[in-house]
Amino acid sequence: MRITDLLNVNGIQLHAAPADKSAAIDLLADLQEKAGNITDKAAYKKEIWAREELDSTAVENGVAVPHARCAAVKRAGLAAMTVPAGVDYGAEDGEPSNLFFMIAAPEGGGEVHMEMLSHLMVMLMDEEFCQKLLDAEKTEDFLALIDAQERVKFPEEAPVEEKKPDGSLRVLAITACPTGIAHTYMAAEALEKKGRELNIGVKAETQGSGGAKNILTREEIAACDGIIIAADKNVDLARFDGKPLLRVPVSDGINKPQELIEKIVRGQAPIYHHEGGAVVEDAGSESLGRRLYKHLMNGVSHMLPFVIGGGIVMALSFLLDGGAAGASNFGSSWALPAFFNKVGNIAFGFMVPILAAFIAQSIADRPGLMVGFVGGSLAATGATFAYFADPTVPIVPAGFLGGLLAGFVGGWFMKVLRKACDKLPQALEGLKPILIYPVVGLLFIGAFMCLVNPVVGMINDALINGLNSMGGSSAILLGALVAGMQATDMGGPINKAAYVFGTASIAMVEGGFSPVMAAVMAGGMVPPIAIALATLFFKNRFTAEERKSGPVNFIMGLSYITEGAIPFAASDPLHVIPSCVVGSAVAGALSMAFGCASPAPHGGLFVFPVMHNPLGYAAAIAIGSVAGMLVLGLLKKKKA
């Protein structure tokens, strides 16, 4: 709420000369009527006088703020009047009042009434400001002074003045996050919005879960000053060869849009050079950890549709086949559940091969894709040299861990092989992609996985046994830990580490129903819901703009989009993040304690029907959200 939104030129009278207090109230009530704020002037004045009889609304510094809340007010509004000669309004210091603001609030509008009053009091404590208002010669100048003072006293409520770009696209961007849901679009919006503010044309292509949108054209790329790649997974950069290019995490696109745009415009971005279809890393441009994270997230983002689709469809087969619970053919005892079970299992079976394939592709581009896929398949099937020598030897699938190893080792091997092949004669260039890369790569990954599968398989088995046998306090502690990690950086590396662990656990536990994944998802759902609740029950801890956006967080939280909490966490991290971590940890611990389990790594509210103990899960999230809300209400300071 801003004073300039409630006060217009029709409600202002400068250099008035009322004879006494009654005349001053009459003039101000006339202004309220003229501004269209009241429907019954007599009834409104009656309420004004009733308030004055309790105690004069005149304060020190020559200021008076008469106010009333009644049914005669059709909309909240203000009237203002300057009286250079002053009038006796009953101030405690005995001095005349010469600056008047009259508040009109509708019946039941106690909150807006108090907000107008508090805003005015904060602003009118400044004697220099009050003198400038008294000296104003035009109503437009009077309003301009109030607007300037509000921007100083309440900067968080100042409107953003969006400037139209000059028509030319100077900066292009691509935004992408591993899941392709929230960060992708938040970064694009932040960059384009900041471009409008700076009067610099910005266009962002989003590479989300539904495919690329707002695609950059060749003409735009050729004419632009440079490109921003705000992504947490690898993006095909071949089309940007020879252009200035910045590569940053997707969170920088959200939090540092102005800095990135200005670097491009000032010519501070390095020139990108593309070689032979492979992604070329700028020396020193990214740390090893950052590159490993991007390769991993590239695999995870491509794997998710298989896990989500396969997990939910398999869960539906058990839901439809409840009558066969406990039987050996549970989930397939009749045609319809058998269909769901088969289709879901096939999709789910691609989880590890797809993960490995796209990690390898991220490292070595297209030549790594086949090598990673085969390596992931060998990890999933548990092929070993001993098995080929004696088929009676039991196989030990390496699972998710084996897929990770296959993706990274296969990708790096193919990258080294490509560099080695660069020394071959030019006449053999055509043989590399159709003969050398696939044959040499396949033989290497086959031998490597058969060699390491027994070792990784034992480690994988130990993890599976540990998860399946976990119970009591250890399970509750694990649930609190992974859920709390979800709220720590809300979509960042810590959040994603917990998410990847939860996703991997789906493949590790019997039947694909993972208690760890349920705890992880609960931890990701709580922060937006807790903040939304806090904006309702602790309104005085938030600005008007934050309160307006609060309810949207209910939808984002229920949809397992933790990123809805980011704007609140960014504005007050010391109070918001600890509160969310506490709420998420409580929800994760309760989810474990209630025996909840999820067959899918995403979906939020929409996968509740196919979960184990959905009512207990809903209770865990509700209790965790309330806990987060209460801690936030306790830690966060009241707004003036």
Side-chain angles (χ1 to χ4, degrees), residues 177-246:
C177 66
T179 55
I181 297 174
H183 275 67
T184 299
Y185 302 101
M186 292 168 69
E189 173 63 22
L191 288 164
E192 291 184 343
K193 182 178 180 180
K194 184 57 67 176
R196 291 193 293 271
E197 292 176 21
L198 299 173
N199 199 27
I200 297 171
V202 177
K203 177 181 177 181
E205 174 183 314
T206 55
Q207 296 192 0
S209 58
K213 302 288 178 64
N214 203 29
I215 296 174
L216 309 178
T217 66
R218 290 183 180 179
E219 294 76 14
E220 290 168 344
I221 295 169
C224 75
D225 291 354
I227 299 97
I228 298 167
I229 307 297
D232 281 343
K233 63 177 186 177
N234 272 340
V235 173
D236 183 8
L237 306 178
R239 51 184 161 156
F240 305 127
D241 185 42
K243 300 293 295 186
L245 186 142
L246 283 177

Side-chain angles (χ1 to χ4, degrees), residues 475-566:
I476 292 172
L477 182 61
L478 177 62
L481 176 64
V482 294
M485 289 172 68
Q486 283 280 284
T488 302
D489 54 0
M490 301 178 188
I494 298 175
N495 170 288
K496 287 296 184 289
Y499 182 73
V500 170
F501 179 59
T503 304
S505 71
I506 294 176
M508 294 178 180
V509 295
E510 188 176 353
F513 283 82
S514 169
V516 176
M517 190 65 242
V520 168
M521 188 155 62
M525 294 172 69
V526 163
I529 299 174
I531 288 172
L533 288 172
T535 61
L536 293 178
F537 292 99
F538 295 97
K539 294 183 178 181
N540 58 0
R541 268 69 165 181
F542 301 90
T543 65
E545 192 63 31
E546 287 174 332
R547 290 198 298 272
K548 289 178 185 176
S549 62
V552 178
N553 270 5
F554 277 118
I555 300 171
M556 299 186 80
L558 292 173
S559 303
Y560 184 31
I561 301 176
T562 318
E563 291 84 352
I566 288 177

Side-chain angles (χ1 to χ4, degrees), residues 270-493:
I271 302 299
Y272 172 73
H273 296 291
H274 197 76
E275 296 180 6
V279 175
V280 180
E281 302 286 354
D282 296 331
S285 64
E286 289 183 313
S287 66
L288 175 62
R290 171 74 185 155
R291 292 199 297 270
L292 290 175
Y293 174 75
K294 285 174 65 176
H295 299 322
L296 173 62
M297 289 300 107
N298 193 63
V300 170
S301 65
H302 285 87
M303 174 193 76
L304 281 179
F306 294 87
V307 186
I308 295 170
I312 292 177
V313 171
M314 275 197 295
L316 287 173
S317 73
F318 297 120
L319 199 66
L320 291 168
D321 203 20
S328 59
N329 61 347
F330 179 40
S332 304
S333 67
W334 56 287
L336 186 59
F339 167 76
F340 278 85
N341 195 280
K342 183 67 174 178
V343 171
N345 262 297
I346 288 174
F348 200 81
F350 283 112
M351 170 183 170
V352 174
I354 290 294
L355 172 72
F358 283 94
I359 289 175
Q361 186 236 24
S362 178
I363 296 170
D365 205 57
R366 189 177 299 176
L369 187 66
M370 182 274 290
V371 173
F373 196 94
V374 173
S377 298
L378 290 171
T381 57
T384 65
F385 288 124
Y387 175 79
F388 294 124
D390 180 4
T392 61
V393 174
I395 59 173
V396 186
F400 192 89
L401 293 179
L404 289 177
L405 191 62
F408 281 106
V409 173
W412 283 322
F413 175 80
M414 293 307 297
K415 192 169 185 177
V416 171
L417 179 63
R418 293 184 65 180
K419 288 185 178 181
C421 287
D422 287 342
K423 299 177 182 179
L424 293 176
Q426 186 67 29
L428 299 177
E429 187 69 29
L431 288 177
K432 289 192 289 187
I434 63 170
L435 180 63
I436 298 175
Y437 294 159
V439 173
V440 176
L442 181 60
L443 290 174
F444 167 80
I445 200 65
F448 177 79
M449 293 310 298
C450 286
L451 183 65
V452 302
N453 265 349
V455 177
V456 181
M458 286 189 289
I459 297 172
N460 196 58
D461 274 355
L463 286 173
I464 292 173
N465 293 333
L467 284 174
N468 287 334
S469 64
M470 188 170 285
S473 59
S474 58
I476 292 172
L477 182 61
L478 177 62
L481 176 64
V482 294
M485 289 172 68
Q486 283 280 284
T488 302
D489 54 0
M490 301 178 188

Side-chain angles (χ1 to χ4, degrees), residues 96-144:
S97 300
N98 50 25
L99 184 58
F100 293 82
F101 284 88
M102 179 178 273
I103 296 174
E107 196 170 40
E111 182 183 350
V112 70
H113 183 180
M114 295 308 298
E115 196 167 358
M116 280 193 281
L117 191 58
S118 64
H119 270 55
L120 283 170
M121 288 298 98
V122 170
M123 295 167 63
L124 296 172
M125 288 172 64
D126 187 337
E127 293 184 10
E128 183 180 352
F129 169 65
C130 292
Q131 188 58 51
K132 287 179 180 178
L133 291 177
L134 288 169
D135 295 339
E137 295 294 330
K138 298 180 180 178
T139 54
E140 291 82 3
D141 296 338
F142 188 88
L143 281 170

Side-chain angles (χ1 to χ4, degrees), residues 581-594:
V581 170
V582 169
S584 292
V586 169
L590 290 175
S591 174
M592 281 287 199
F594 295 158

